[in-house]
Amino acid sequence: MSELLVGSVETGGTKFVCAVGDEHYQVKDKVTFATTTPQETLARVVTFFKKFPNVTVITVASFGPIELRKNHAKYGYITNTPKIGWHDVDFVGYLKKELARPIIFTTDVNGSAYGEYVAARIAQQPVDSLVYYTVGTGVGAGAIIDGQLIGTLGHPEMGHVLVKRHPDDLKFEGICPFHGDCLEGLIAGPTFEKRVGKKGQDVDQSDPVWDIMAYYLAQAVVQQTLIIRPNKIILGGGVVNKIFLDKVRLQFKEQLNNYVEVPKLEDYITMPLVENNGSATLGDFALALKQYNQK
């Protein structure tokens, strides 16, 4: 009997990660390449998976917004994305045509959220609900309640909520082309260059800009704490590090002001269990295996 294999495509504003895994979530092969034009990038996805004709199901966890309603004429499309050149791209249609495999389509943060949900069970630290934020080139979040990803009319867009402005940051207009100073417009990675003229990795942790960004992200964590009441909230992505995480926890404690009870902050607001930003790949494998086992 041939080995059961599933596929993962994690898309981001700067790179794509394609992987093949087995039923134990072990990566068998993986490739990473830059996000360029849709034509060039999707062709590289197809080239990778054509090497694995026995891959049964492929999960695509994509940056968005994307259309998830299967009865919609543009199901499987990347829609109103700010990513230049990627507006109105028929992602799923292209892959189905070229690969002839079942495709699961979800957001990149949904893939990561599901990966963290599975990882917690593997680590024997199961949770019924969680919210996963990624803070990188963009900002987004996925949420799971009782093992199910949330969203009916569409997927959550928690990166584009509005937040109260920091008193020392009132002149910064934000970088979101749709909303200006929404959460993404205020804390995504490229905001460092707009504010201080440096990339995030070159900005010293003592710089006040980190406190300003923690102030905004803590507001988002408070929002989801009060709306969803999850067991934990996970902060991932290239901008998040341990020092920044502590700043967010401090701001969260001050902003929530003991209004509702939450677990110990070190357990409640955490970095991902899966190392090296691998949450989405694990989540994609798990979603693909789930669909395969339901056949």
Side-chain angles (χ1 to χ4, degrees), residues 163-193:
V163 291
K164 180 181 178 181
R165 295 301 298 268
H166 191 286
D168 295 333
D169 195 46
L170 299 178
K171 293 183 179 180
F172 182 61
E173 295 180 352
I175 64 167
C176 175
F178 290 94
H179 313 115
D181 62 348
C182 63
L183 182 66
E184 178 173 292
L186 293 172
I187 70 168
T191 62
F192 282 105
E193 292 182 74

PDB file of all heavy atoms in Angstrom, residues 163-193:
ATOM      1  N   VAL A 163      -8.397  50.796  15.956  1.00  0.00           N
ATOM      2  CA  VAL A 163      -7.910  50.857  17.331  1.00  0.00           C
ATOM      3  C   VAL A 163      -7.730  52.312  17.751  1.00  0.00           C
ATOM      4  O   VAL A 163      -7.602  53.211  16.924  1.00  0.00           O
ATOM      5  CB  VAL A 163      -6.578  50.089  17.493  1.00  0.00           C
ATOM      6  CG1 VAL A 163      -6.786  48.595  17.344  1.00  0.00           C
ATOM      7  CG2 VAL A 163      -5.533  50.578  16.492  1.00  0.00           C
ATOM      8  N   LYS A 164      -7.723  52.510  19.051  1.00  0.00           N
ATOM      9  CA  LYS A 164      -7.502  53.836  19.618  1.00  0.00           C
ATOM     10  C   LYS A 164      -6.056  54.245  19.403  1.00  0.00           C
ATOM     11  O   LYS A 164      -5.137  53.456  19.661  1.00  0.00           O
ATOM     12  CB  LYS A 164      -7.841  53.808  21.110  1.00  0.00           C
ATOM     13  CG  LYS A 164      -7.667  55.133  21.833  1.00  0.00           C
ATOM     14  CD  LYS A 164      -8.025  54.957  23.306  1.00  0.00           C
ATOM     15  CE  LYS A 164      -7.827  56.250  24.078  1.00  0.00           C
ATOM     16  NZ  LYS A 164      -8.161  56.069  25.521  1.00  0.00           N
ATOM     17  N   ARG A 165      -5.833  55.474  18.947  1.00  0.00           N
ATOM     18  CA  ARG A 165      -4.486  55.914  18.637  1.00  0.00           C
ATOM     19  C   ARG A 165      -3.683  56.206  19.900  1.00  0.00           C
ATOM     20  O   ARG A 165      -4.186  56.753  20.882  1.00  0.00           O
ATOM     21  CB  ARG A 165      -4.520  57.168  17.758  1.00  0.00           C
ATOM     22  CG  ARG A 165      -5.127  56.958  16.383  1.00  0.00           C
ATOM     23  CD  ARG A 165      -4.381  55.900  15.577  1.00  0.00           C
ATOM     24  NE  ARG A 165      -3.001  56.255  15.320  1.00  0.00           N
ATOM     25  CZ  ARG A 165      -2.587  56.909  14.237  1.00  0.00           C
ATOM     26  NH1 ARG A 165      -3.455  57.257  13.290  1.00  0.00           N
ATOM     27  NH2 ARG A 165      -1.312  57.182  14.082  1.00  0.00           N
ATOM     28  N   HIS A 166      -2.406  55.833  19.839  1.00  0.00           N
ATOM     29  CA  HIS A 166      -1.478  56.138  20.924  1.00  0.00           C
ATOM     30  C   HIS A 166      -1.214  57.642  20.922  1.00  0.00           C
ATOM     31  O   HIS A 166      -1.015  58.240  19.857  1.00  0.00           O
ATOM     32  CB  HIS A 166      -0.175  55.366  20.717  1.00  0.00           C
ATOM     33  CG  HIS A 166       0.756  55.387  21.883  1.00  0.00           C
ATOM     34  ND1 HIS A 166       1.493  56.504  22.210  1.00  0.00           N
ATOM     35  CD2 HIS A 166       1.087  54.434  22.802  1.00  0.00           C
ATOM     36  CE1 HIS A 166       2.235  56.240  23.275  1.00  0.00           C
ATOM     37  NE2 HIS A 166       1.994  54.993  23.660  1.00  0.00           N
ATOM     38  N   PRO A 167      -1.191  58.286  22.097  1.00  0.00           N
ATOM     39  CA  PRO A 167      -1.005  59.750  22.125  1.00  0.00           C
ATOM     40  C   PRO A 167       0.302  60.230  21.516  1.00  0.00           C
ATOM     41  O   PRO A 167       0.395  61.391  21.075  1.00  0.00           O
ATOM     42  CB  PRO A 167      -1.077  60.084  23.621  1.00  0.00           C
ATOM     43  CG  PRO A 167      -0.903  58.788  24.335  1.00  0.00           C
ATOM     44  CD  PRO A 167      -1.431  57.742  23.432  1.00  0.00           C
ATOM     45  N   ASP A 168       1.317  59.358  21.439  1.00  0.00           N
ATOM     46  CA  ASP A 168       2.589  59.749  20.840  1.00  0.00           C
ATOM     47  C   ASP A 168       2.692  59.349  19.374  1.00  0.00           C
ATOM     48  O   ASP A 168       3.775  59.446  18.779  1.00  0.00           O
ATOM     49  CB  ASP A 168       3.757  59.113  21.612  1.00  0.00           C
ATOM     50  CG  ASP A 168       3.858  59.620  23.036  1.00  0.00           C
ATOM     51  OD1 ASP A 168       3.426  60.763  23.302  1.00  0.00           O
ATOM     52  OD2 ASP A 168       4.359  58.863  23.893  1.00  0.00           O
ATOM     53  N   ASP A 169       1.568  58.919  18.800  1.00  0.00           N
ATOM     54  CA  ASP A 169       1.605  58.397  17.432  1.00  0.00           C
ATOM     55  C   ASP A 169       0.500  58.996  16.565  1.00  0.00           C
ATOM     56  O   ASP A 169       0.107  58.418  15.564  1.00  0.00           O
ATOM     57  CB  ASP A 169       1.459  56.864  17.480  1.00  0.00           C
ATOM     58  CG  ASP A 169       1.828  56.176  16.180  1.00  0.00           C
ATOM     59  OD1 ASP A 169       2.872  56.513  15.599  1.00  0.00           O
ATOM     60  OD2 ASP A 169       1.072  55.278  15.759  1.00  0.00           O
ATOM     61  N   LEU A 170       0.010  60.154  16.942  1.00  0.00           N
ATOM     62  CA  LEU A 170      -1.160  60.721  16.280  1.00  0.00           C
ATOM     63  C   LEU A 170      -0.878  61.208  14.861  1.00  0.00           C
ATOM     64  O   LEU A 170      -1.787  61.299  14.034  1.00  0.00           O
ATOM     65  CB  LEU A 170      -1.727  61.868  17.114  1.00  0.00           C
ATOM     66  CG  LEU A 170      -2.217  61.494  18.523  1.00  0.00           C
ATOM     67  CD1 LEU A 170      -2.711  62.736  19.256  1.00  0.00           C
ATOM     68  CD2 LEU A 170      -3.317  60.440  18.452  1.00  0.00           C
ATOM     69  N   LYS A 171       0.375  61.518  14.561  1.00  0.00           N
ATOM     70  CA  LYS A 171       0.699  62.058  13.236  1.00  0.00           C
ATOM     71  C   LYS A 171       0.965  60.982  12.187  1.00  0.00           C
ATOM     72  O   LYS A 171       1.008  61.271  10.999  1.00  0.00           O
ATOM     73  CB  LYS A 171       1.908  62.988  13.345  1.00  0.00           C
ATOM     74  CG  LYS A 171       1.633  64.258  14.142  1.00  0.00           C
ATOM     75  CD  LYS A 171       2.847  65.176  14.165  1.00  0.00           C
ATOM     76  CE  LYS A 171       2.563  66.447  14.950  1.00  0.00           C
ATOM     77  NZ  LYS A 171       3.747  67.363  14.991  1.00  0.00           N
ATOM     78  N   PHE A 172       1.149  59.746  12.641  1.00  0.00           N
ATOM     79  CA  PHE A 172       1.414  58.659  11.691  1.00  0.00           C
ATOM     80  C   PHE A 172       0.111  58.253  11.024  1.00  0.00           C
ATOM     81  O   PHE A 172      -0.852  57.873  11.695  1.00  0.00           O
ATOM     82  CB  PHE A 172       2.053  57.473  12.407  1.00  0.00           C
ATOM     83  CG  PHE A 172       2.397  56.329  11.494  1.00  0.00           C
ATOM     84  CD1 PHE A 172       3.300  56.493  10.455  1.00  0.00           C
ATOM     85  CD2 PHE A 172       1.811  55.077  11.671  1.00  0.00           C
ATOM     86  CE1 PHE A 172       3.621  55.438   9.612  1.00  0.00           C
ATOM     87  CE2 PHE A 172       2.125  54.014  10.836  1.00  0.00           C
ATOM     88  CZ  PHE A 172       3.034  54.198   9.804  1.00  0.00           C
ATOM     89  N   GLU A 173       0.060  58.311   9.697  1.00  0.00           N
ATOM     90  CA  GLU A 173      -1.188  58.083   8.969  1.00  0.00           C
ATOM     91  C   GLU A 173      -1.517  56.608   8.777  1.00  0.00           C
ATOM     92  O   GLU A 173      -2.662  56.267   8.478  1.00  0.00           O
ATOM     93  CB  GLU A 173      -1.120  58.767   7.598  1.00  0.00           C
ATOM     94  CG  GLU A 173      -1.029  60.294   7.691  1.00  0.00           C
ATOM     95  CD  GLU A 173      -0.962  60.940   6.327  1.00  0.00           C
ATOM     96  OE1 GLU A 173      -0.841  60.212   5.320  1.00  0.00           O
ATOM     97  OE2 GLU A 173      -1.031  62.178   6.262  1.00  0.00           O
ATOM     98  N   GLY A 174      -0.529  55.730   8.947  1.00  0.00           N
ATOM     99  CA  GLY A 174      -0.767  54.317   8.690  1.00  0.00           C
ATOM    100  C   GLY A 174      -0.491  53.962   7.243  1.00  0.00           C
ATOM    101  O   GLY A 174      -0.418  54.834   6.382  1.00  0.00           O
ATOM    102  N   ILE A 175      -0.353  52.676   6.957  1.00  0.00           N
ATOM    103  CA  ILE A 175       0.050  52.261   5.616  1.00  0.00           C
ATOM    104  C   ILE A 175      -0.993  51.413   4.892  1.00  0.00           C
ATOM    105  O   ILE A 175      -0.772  51.015   3.749  1.00  0.00           O
ATOM    106  CB  ILE A 175       1.372  51.469   5.672  1.00  0.00           C
ATOM    107  CG1 ILE A 175       1.210  50.160   6.452  1.00  0.00           C
ATOM    108  CG2 ILE A 175       2.494  52.326   6.250  1.00  0.00           C
ATOM    109  CD1 ILE A 175       2.372  49.200   6.289  1.00  0.00           C
ATOM    110  N   CYS A 176      -2.131  51.130   5.523  1.00  0.00           N
ATOM    111  CA  CYS A 176      -3.138  50.316   4.847  1.00  0.00           C
ATOM    112  C   CYS A 176      -3.769  51.113   3.706  1.00  0.00           C
ATOM    113  O   CYS A 176      -4.297  52.209   3.946  1.00  0.00           O
ATOM    114  CB  CYS A 176      -4.217  49.868   5.830  1.00  0.00           C
ATOM    115  SG  CYS A 176      -5.581  48.973   5.025  1.00  0.00           S
ATOM    116  N   PRO A 177      -3.750  50.600   2.469  1.00  0.00           N
ATOM    117  CA  PRO A 177      -4.324  51.355   1.354  1.00  0.00           C
ATOM    118  C   PRO A 177      -5.843  51.478   1.415  1.00  0.00           C
ATOM    119  O   PRO A 177      -6.420  52.325   0.721  1.00  0.00           O
ATOM    120  CB  PRO A 177      -3.881  50.550   0.126  1.00  0.00           C
ATOM    121  CG  PRO A 177      -3.661  49.164   0.634  1.00  0.00           C
ATOM    122  CD  PRO A 177      -3.153  49.326   2.035  1.00  0.00           C
ATOM    123  N   PHE A 178      -6.482  50.661   2.242  1.00  0.00           N
ATOM    124  CA  PHE A 178      -7.939  50.711   2.366  1.00  0.00           C
ATOM    125  C   PHE A 178      -8.390  51.562   3.551  1.00  0.00           C
ATOM    126  O   PHE A 178      -9.369  52.295   3.455  1.00  0.00           O
ATOM    127  CB  PHE A 178      -8.510  49.295   2.517  1.00  0.00           C
ATOM    128  CG  PHE A 178      -8.412  48.466   1.281  1.00  0.00           C
ATOM    129  CD1 PHE A 178      -7.335  47.616   1.098  1.00  0.00           C
ATOM    130  CD2 PHE A 178      -9.369  48.541   0.290  1.00  0.00           C
ATOM    131  CE1 PHE A 178      -7.231  46.840  -0.046  1.00  0.00           C
ATOM    132  CE2 PHE A 178      -9.278  47.769  -0.865  1.00  0.00           C
ATOM    133  CZ  PHE A 178      -8.194  46.919  -1.031  1.00  0.00           C
ATOM    134  N   HIS A 179      -7.699  51.450   4.687  1.00  0.00           N
ATOM    135  CA  HIS A 179      -8.172  52.078   5.922  1.00  0.00           C
ATOM    136  C   HIS A 179      -7.167  53.016   6.571  1.00  0.00           C
ATOM    137  O   HIS A 179      -7.484  53.647   7.577  1.00  0.00           O
ATOM    138  CB  HIS A 179      -8.555  50.991   6.949  1.00  0.00           C
ATOM    139  CG  HIS A 179      -9.407  49.913   6.385  1.00  0.00           C
ATOM    140  ND1 HIS A 179      -8.988  48.603   6.284  1.00  0.00           N
ATOM    141  CD2 HIS A 179     -10.667  49.958   5.863  1.00  0.00           C
ATOM    142  CE1 HIS A 179      -9.937  47.878   5.716  1.00  0.00           C
ATOM    143  NE2 HIS A 179     -10.967  48.665   5.459  1.00  0.00           N
ATOM    144  N   GLY A 180      -5.966  53.097   6.060  1.00  0.00           N
ATOM    145  CA  GLY A 180      -4.968  53.974   6.673  1.00  0.00           C
ATOM    146  C   GLY A 180      -4.492  53.421   8.001  1.00  0.00           C
ATOM    147  O   GLY A 180      -3.612  52.559   8.054  1.00  0.00           O
ATOM    148  N   ASP A 181      -5.119  53.892   9.075  1.00  0.00           N
ATOM    149  CA  ASP A 181      -4.617  53.551  10.411  1.00  0.00           C
ATOM    150  C   ASP A 181      -5.440  52.464  11.117  1.00  0.00           C
ATOM    151  O   ASP A 181      -5.701  52.550  12.310  1.00  0.00           O
ATOM    152  CB  ASP A 181      -4.533  54.789  11.288  1.00  0.00           C
ATOM    153  CG  ASP A 181      -5.886  55.458  11.536  1.00  0.00           C
ATOM    154  OD1 ASP A 181      -6.867  55.094  10.854  1.00  0.00           O
ATOM    155  OD2 ASP A 181      -5.953  56.339  12.403  1.00  0.00           O
ATOM    156  N   CYS A 182      -5.798  51.407  10.381  1.00  0.00           N
ATOM    157  CA  CYS A 182      -6.342  50.218  11.043  1.00  0.00           C
ATOM    158  C   CYS A 182      -5.182  49.488  11.725  1.00  0.00           C
ATOM    159  O   CYS A 182      -4.033  49.934  11.669  1.00  0.00           O
ATOM    160  CB  CYS A 182      -7.042  49.315  10.042  1.00  0.00           C
ATOM    161  SG  CYS A 182      -5.941  48.639   8.776  1.00  0.00           S
ATOM    162  N   LEU A 183      -5.455  48.361  12.364  1.00  0.00           N
ATOM    163  CA  LEU A 183      -4.410  47.622  13.070  1.00  0.00           C
ATOM    164  C   LEU A 183      -3.243  47.294  12.143  1.00  0.00           C
ATOM    165  O   LEU A 183      -2.079  47.548  12.482  1.00  0.00           O
ATOM    166  CB  LEU A 183      -4.992  46.340  13.673  1.00  0.00           C
ATOM    167  CG  LEU A 183      -4.021  45.485  14.491  1.00  0.00           C
ATOM    168  CD1 LEU A 183      -3.587  46.206  15.758  1.00  0.00           C
ATOM    169  CD2 LEU A 183      -4.667  44.138  14.850  1.00  0.00           C
ATOM    170  N   GLU A 184      -3.530  46.735  10.981  1.00  0.00           N
ATOM    171  CA  GLU A 184      -2.467  46.414  10.035  1.00  0.00           C
ATOM    172  C   GLU A 184      -1.701  47.661   9.618  1.00  0.00           C
ATOM    173  O   GLU A 184      -0.461  47.649   9.521  1.00  0.00           O
ATOM    174  CB  GLU A 184      -3.041  45.719   8.804  1.00  0.00           C
ATOM    175  CG  GLU A 184      -1.989  45.405   7.737  1.00  0.00           C
ATOM    176  CD  GLU A 184      -2.536  44.563   6.597  1.00  0.00           C
ATOM    177  OE1 GLU A 184      -2.859  43.386   6.843  1.00  0.00           O
ATOM    178  OE2 GLU A 184      -2.622  45.075   5.457  1.00  0.00           O
ATOM    179  N   GLY A 185      -2.431  48.726   9.381  1.00  0.00           N
ATOM    180  CA  GLY A 185      -1.793  49.965   8.951  1.00  0.00           C
ATOM    181  C   GLY A 185      -0.882  50.577   9.984  1.00  0.00           C
ATOM    182  O   GLY A 185      -0.027  51.413   9.658  1.00  0.00           O
ATOM    183  N   LEU A 186      -1.029  50.143  11.238  1.00  0.00           N
ATOM    184  CA  LEU A 186      -0.234  50.717  12.327  1.00  0.00           C
ATOM    185  C   LEU A 186       0.874  49.818  12.848  1.00  0.00           C
ATOM    186  O   LEU A 186       1.841  50.306  13.441  1.00  0.00           O
ATOM    187  CB  LEU A 186      -1.153  51.098  13.498  1.00  0.00           C
ATOM    188  CG  LEU A 186      -2.128  52.245  13.239  1.00  0.00           C
ATOM    189  CD1 LEU A 186      -3.107  52.381  14.395  1.00  0.00           C
ATOM    190  CD2 LEU A 186      -1.376  53.553  13.026  1.00  0.00           C
ATOM    191  N   ILE A 187       0.755  48.469  12.653  1.00  0.00           N
ATOM    192  CA  ILE A 187       1.761  47.600  13.269  1.00  0.00           C
ATOM    193  C   ILE A 187       2.401  46.596  12.315  1.00  0.00           C
ATOM    194  O   ILE A 187       3.290  45.847  12.736  1.00  0.00           O
ATOM    195  CB  ILE A 187       1.196  46.831  14.486  1.00  0.00           C
ATOM    196  CG1 ILE A 187       0.190  45.753  14.051  1.00  0.00           C
ATOM    197  CG2 ILE A 187       0.571  47.773  15.487  1.00  0.00           C
ATOM    198  CD1 ILE A 187      -0.181  44.791  15.173  1.00  0.00           C
ATOM    199  N   ALA A 188       1.995  46.538  11.056  1.00  0.00           N
ATOM    200  CA  ALA A 188       2.639  45.606  10.125  1.00  0.00           C
ATOM    201  C   ALA A 188       4.118  45.961   9.974  1.00  0.00           C
ATOM    202  O   ALA A 188       4.532  47.101  10.199  1.00  0.00           O
ATOM    203  CB  ALA A 188       1.940  45.647   8.775  1.00  0.00           C
ATOM    204  N   GLY A 189       4.922  44.988   9.588  1.00  0.00           N
ATOM    205  CA  GLY A 189       6.354  45.178   9.479  1.00  0.00           C
ATOM    206  C   GLY A 189       6.797  46.426   8.735  1.00  0.00           C
ATOM    207  O   GLY A 189       7.699  47.140   9.197  1.00  0.00           O
ATOM    208  N   PRO A 190       6.192  46.739   7.567  1.00  0.00           N
ATOM    209  CA  PRO A 190       6.640  47.916   6.824  1.00  0.00           C
ATOM    210  C   PRO A 190       6.427  49.256   7.541  1.00  0.00           C
ATOM    211  O   PRO A 190       6.981  50.274   7.115  1.00  0.00           O
ATOM    212  CB  PRO A 190       5.785  47.850   5.545  1.00  0.00           C
ATOM    213  CG  PRO A 190       5.461  46.401   5.390  1.00  0.00           C
ATOM    214  CD  PRO A 190       5.270  45.897   6.781  1.00  0.00           C
ATOM    215  N   THR A 191       5.651  49.254   8.650  1.00  0.00           N
ATOM    216  CA  THR A 191       5.450  50.523   9.360  1.00  0.00           C
ATOM    217  C   THR A 191       6.740  50.997  10.032  1.00  0.00           C
ATOM    218  O   THR A 191       6.891  52.194  10.296  1.00  0.00           O
ATOM    219  CB  THR A 191       4.339  50.410  10.431  1.00  0.00           C
ATOM    220  OG1 THR A 191       4.708  49.445  11.419  1.00  0.00           O
ATOM    221  CG2 THR A 191       3.015  50.022   9.805  1.00  0.00           C
ATOM    222  N   PHE A 192       7.655  50.082  10.317  1.00  0.00           N
ATOM    223  CA  PHE A 192       8.927  50.503  10.919  1.00  0.00           C
ATOM    224  C   PHE A 192       9.649  51.497  10.015  1.00  0.00           C
ATOM    225  O   PHE A 192      10.138  52.534  10.467  1.00  0.00           O
ATOM    226  CB  PHE A 192       9.831  49.293  11.160  1.00  0.00           C
ATOM    227  CG  PHE A 192       9.474  48.473  12.364  1.00  0.00           C
ATOM    228  CD1 PHE A 192       8.840  47.245  12.220  1.00  0.00           C
ATOM    229  CD2 PHE A 192       9.774  48.913  13.642  1.00  0.00           C
ATOM    230  CE1 PHE A 192       8.522  46.470  13.327  1.00  0.00           C
ATOM    231  CE2 PHE A 192       9.455  48.148  14.759  1.00  0.00           C
ATOM    232  CZ  PHE A 192       8.819  46.928  14.595  1.00  0.00           C
ATOM    233  N   GLU A 193       9.727  51.153   8.738  1.00  0.00           N
ATOM    234  CA  GLU A 193      10.443  52.023   7.805  1.00  0.00           C
ATOM    235  C   GLU A 193       9.748  53.370   7.661  1.00  0.00           C
ATOM    236  O   GLU A 193      10.404  54.405   7.526  1.00  0.00           O
ATOM    237  CB  GLU A 193      10.573  51.331   6.450  1.00  0.00           C
ATOM    238  CG  GLU A 193      11.504  50.121   6.489  1.00  0.00           C
ATOM    239  CD  GLU A 193      11.676  49.475   5.131  1.00  0.00           C
ATOM    240  OE1 GLU A 193      12.379  50.070   4.294  1.00  0.00           O
ATOM    241  OE2 GLU A 193      11.113  48.381   4.912  1.00  0.00           O
TER     242      GLU A 193
END
